[in-house]
Amino acid sequence: MSEAAETQSEIFAQMDQVPAAGSDVIAESPLSNFHWKTTGAEAGVTLSEQGLAGHLVLRSAGNSSFEAAVEKVLGMSLPGPLQSVSDDSGRVIRWTSPDEWLLTVSNSDAFSVEQQLRAEASGHYSIVNVSGGQTILMLSGDSAEMVLMKTCHYDTHESSFPVGKVVRTTFAKSGALIRRVGESEWELIIRRSFSDYLALWLQDAAGEYGLQII
Amino acid sequence: MLCIFCPHCGEYREEEEFSARGQAHIKRPEDPEACSDEEWGNYMFFRKNPKGLHHELWVHSAGCGKFFNMTRDTVSYEIKETYKIGEQPSVVAAEK
Ligand SMILES: [Zn+2]
């Protein structure tokens, strides 16, 4: 660990946000108590919540030490504008702003990844664990794109929104970070405080195509 | 709806994603203590309200969250250009 990295660990209070084994604190995803109304029959839209993932906001404005740390710890480079990168284990880095990225890892890895990045990087950067503040919804199926077209005004056509692209935009009366994962598979990252509202919205929007929850 | 080019995202987005934040290129006085009340008052409160070309500060609030500048015609609403903070506009009104 470099001297600069040591100083950083002392300055920033780091906390593992995952309840310790044997703790009586129950981890619940934002939509764990939501009662979905599914249509049962032919489902054109499939929704699933990938709750309780580790979400880390990475910020750096051209700090090469931080960029190298990301490459060393994650084996991926910070992607350019509106792009994302992912690895086989399901870790994803999404560009959200010229000096900001959202990294998702498994819940149990979030703290160790943060510590490893801090140990490697020096200089001016920031890592914030926002796992408790947002959740991931996976939207797929033949009519998934129709649901998006009702919900946001961004052009979802493949020529404007190819697989791998990431767009943060208005979503219903809230906002979402949208990533196209496959031709008919989309990832939505939404705020915890809006999750009930957006779940109701998506349930309503998907109703006419048939909704299935997995 | 206007389509606005965000110079940070590098593409056009709907107006709904943006917020306007008033006149651009307002320079804070180098030495506020040395300002007269009138100079400080002009800096703090007085803004241009031109008919025609205007340089404005906008923010891509629902997108990348970054500020940038825009040259806009206040009569036709036509957006002439958007450019990053620190850059100078290429479209400017003729000196009167
Ligand atoms: Zn932008």
Side-chain angles (χ1 to χ4, degrees):
Chain A
M1 190 187 279
S2 72
E3 211 171 281
E6 259 177 28
T7 323
Q8 288 243 344
S9 336
E10 284 160 20
I11 295 170
F12 296 101
Q14 297 174 54
M15 193 186 90
D16 189 348
Q17 298 186 9
V18 180
S23 152
D24 56 1
V25 176
I26 305 160
E28 288 186 326
S29 75
L31 289 172
S32 59
N33 291 315
F34 190 85
H35 296 292
W36 292 98
K37 285 196 196 81
T38 52
T39 49
E42 291 266 299
V45 179
T46 302
L47 246 176
S48 68
E49 186 193 12
Q50 312 275 299
L52 303 180
H55 298 232
L56 299 171
V57 170
L58 314 177
R59 298 203 64 176
S60 149
N63 176 351
S64 53
S65 155
F66 186 71
E67 289 162 13
V70 169
E71 269 170 56
K72 187 170 175 192
V73 173
L74 299 163
M76 298 182 274
S77 311
L78 294 171
L82 309 177
Q83 297 305 307
S84 64
V85 289
S86 55
D87 70 10
D88 294 339
S89 73
R91 291 176 173 179
V92 185
I93 311 177
R94 306 156 191 81
W95 183 95
T96 52
S97 185
D99 54 7
E100 186 184 288
W101 292 264
L102 177 67
L103 163 67
T104 50
V105 298
S106 71
N107 200 22
S108 53
D109 283 355
F111 187 50
S112 68
V113 166
E114 179 181 350
Q115 284 181 313
Q116 289 171 58
L117 287 171
R118 288 194 187 283
E120 292 293 335
S122 59
H124 190 59
Y125 67 87
S126 121
I127 304 170
V128 179
N129 187 330
V130 296
S131 307
Q134 48 198 29
T135 191
I136 303 175
L137 293 178
M138 298 306 292
L139 188 68
S140 61
D142 292 343
S143 302
E145 195 172 346
M146 301 300 283
V147 172
L148 287 185
M149 286 162 76
K150 287 189 194 181
T151 310
C152 65
H153 44 55
Y154 195 84
D155 184 1
T156 53
H157 190 271
E158 256 186 324
S159 60
S160 124
F161 208 146
V163 172
K165 189 170 181 177
V166 178
V167 169
R168 181 150 65 190
T169 183
T170 49
F171 196 77
K173 288 177 199 272
S174 175
L177 184 64
I178 310 171
R179 178 168 67 104
R180 190 172 201 153
V181 181
E183 200 192 325
S184 54
E185 191 179 7
W186 306 79
E187 174 198 74
L188 313 171
I189 299 189
I190 57 170
R191 291 290 177 101
R192 177 183 200 102
S193 51
F194 283 101
S195 58
D196 262 321
Y197 161 70
L198 286 172
L200 285 165
W201 175 286
L202 290 168
Q203 175 175 278
D204 182 62
E208 65 172 298
Y209 311 111
L211 173 64
Q212 142 185 298
I213 305 296
I214 53 170
Chain B
M1 280 278 245
L2 300 169
C3 269
I4 299 173
F5 186 85
C6 173
H8 299 285
C9 291
E11 62 177 27
Y12 283 90
R13 296 291 185 88
E14 293 278 338
E15 180 188 353
E16 193 180 283
E17 294 185 15
F18 298 87
S19 323
R21 294 290 168 86
Q23 187 185 327
H25 303 292
I26 294 170
K27 191 164 176 276
R28 183 182 167 89
E30 299 265 342
D31 184 2
E33 297 293 327
C35 283
S36 68
D37 285 353
E38 188 181 355
E39 283 166 340
W40 188 251
N42 283 342
Y43 158 70
M44 284 293 280
F45 304 113
F46 284 76
R47 297 291 179 261
K48 288 181 182 155
N49 185 20
K51 183 180 178 184
L53 287 183
H54 191 30
H55 304 292
E56 296 170 333
L57 186 63
W58 283 68
V59 58
H60 193 184
S61 41
C64 65
K66 292 290 177 194
F67 284 81
F68 61 92
N69 292 330
M70 175 191 293
T71 307
R72 189 174 68 89
D73 190 315
T74 60
V75 179
S76 66
Y77 279 62
E78 186 191 349
I79 296 167
K80 301 287 188 186
E81 61 180 344
T82 54
Y83 52 101
K84 290 179 184 169
I85 304 286
E87 294 175 357
Q88 291 302 311
S90 61
V91 183
V92 289
E95 292 287 330
K96 284 185 190 133

